[in-house]
Amino acid sequence: VNVAVTVKNEENEVISGGSVSIKNGDITGDSADEQTVSTLKLVDTPEKLQTAVAAGGYVKLTQDIESSEAIIISSNVVLDGNGHTLFAEATPANNGMIRPTGTATVKNVNIDGKGVRTTDDKSIRGIYITTNGTYVIENVKILNCGYAFNAQTSAQSSLKVSKSTFEGWSSYDLDGTVNVTDVLAEFTDVNFTRGAYEKLVDDKALIKINDIF
């Protein structure tokens, strides 16, 4: 059975539309945003955002959000900023405004340090990854941060970043044993305004930046 679906917010405004298919009790979505209707969570406050990213599923912002705490993303989460801006007050204990901790996608969002993180402050990142997983960063702009992006993972992880701008220092640190043919991180159509740093084990891992190894 195919059913047309329109998703609305609390103000009865249409957020997105599409269709779902129901077969043997399973619901799958085919909406304009490629989101699965059964797991979609629309959030408009920092409290709702924190709860949603901890629970998992497809999380979509409906407005700009400012959080007094770092956003810790659990595994199997898609965080879709829907073109909005996100600010989180990170601390040296958390080190990052956005902290994916497992397989996760972050897309369509501006992460703004609002000048709280000066261009000389490298202790706190816009996105900070320290847990093994499969990560996708797409159409993300990180600005007003001294340290825009930092990933510190092992050969059990993969990272794909595309169509993004990192206005600040960026680095990818790899620990563990890898094979000479491993391609563990790909950056495609990414603008690094202050440069990118790669720390590789025995220089064996392959990092692909804008189609260049």
Side-chain angles (χ1 to χ4, degrees):
V1 179
N2 291 323
V3 181
V5 173
T6 300
V7 181
K8 297 183 178 181
N9 61 16
E10 295 177 353
E11 287 72 36
N12 204 37
E13 299 170 330
V14 175
I15 300 299
S16 64
S19 64
V20 294
S21 296
I22 305 175
K23 184 177 181 180
N24 297 328
D26 295 327
I27 301 176
T28 57
D30 184 24
S31 70
D33 306 271
E34 300 179 353
Q35 59 212 24
T36 302
V37 175
S38 60
T39 65
L40 174 64
K41 302 176 181 68
L42 303 178
V43 297
D44 57 5
T45 68
E47 293 78 17
K48 291 179 181 178
L49 175 60
Q50 295 283 7
T51 299
V53 296
Y58 198 109
V59 181
K60 192 171 187 179
L61 273 60
T62 61
Q63 65 179 34
D64 295 350
I65 291 180
E66 294 190 14
S67 175
S68 60
E69 300 177 337
I71 308 300
I72 311 297
I73 301 177
S74 66
S75 187
N76 299 316
V77 171
V78 175
L79 175 58
D80 185 348
N82 195 24
H84 294 291
T85 297
L86 181 61
F87 168 78
E89 181 56 69
T91 66
N94 288 320
N95 286 332
M97 290 195 289
I98 308 296
R99 288 290 307 273
T101 60
T103 297
T105 296
V106 179
K107 65 179 185 177
N108 306 326
V109 67
N110 299 315
I111 301 171
D112 190 350
K114 298 179 65 174
V116 175
R117 305 300 157 214
T118 67
T119 56
D120 295 324
D121 184 355
K122 301 183 181 65
S123 63
I124 297 176
R125 288 83 164 155
I127 294 179
Y128 188 35
I129 299 172
T130 60
T131 306
N132 290 335
T134 300
Y135 300 100
V136 176
I137 312 295
E138 179 183 348
N139 192 29
V140 171
K141 183 175 183 179
I142 305 176
L143 65 161
N144 295 322
C145 294
Y147 215 134
F149 175 84
N150 184 207
Q152 299 178 13
T153 60
S154 75
Q156 283 68 51
S157 290
S158 71
L159 169 68
K160 291 187 177 181
V161 184
S162 64
K163 301 176 183 177
S164 298
T165 297
F166 296 157
E167 294 186 358
W169 297 108
S170 300
S171 71
Y172 179 82
D173 299 341
L174 178 68
D175 296 322
T177 303
V178 297
N179 296 317
V180 68
T181 58
D182 286 342
V183 180
L184 302 180
E186 295 184 46
F187 297 83
T188 305
D189 192 18
V190 178
N191 181 21
F192 300 96
T193 64
R194 299 197 71 182
Y197 170 73
E198 305 161 18
K199 180 181 179 182
L200 313 178
V201 176
D202 298 328
D203 292 328
K204 290 183 178 180
L206 296 179
I207 311 299
K208 190 175 183 180
I209 299 179
N210 296 332
D211 293 326
I212 299 175
F213 285 104

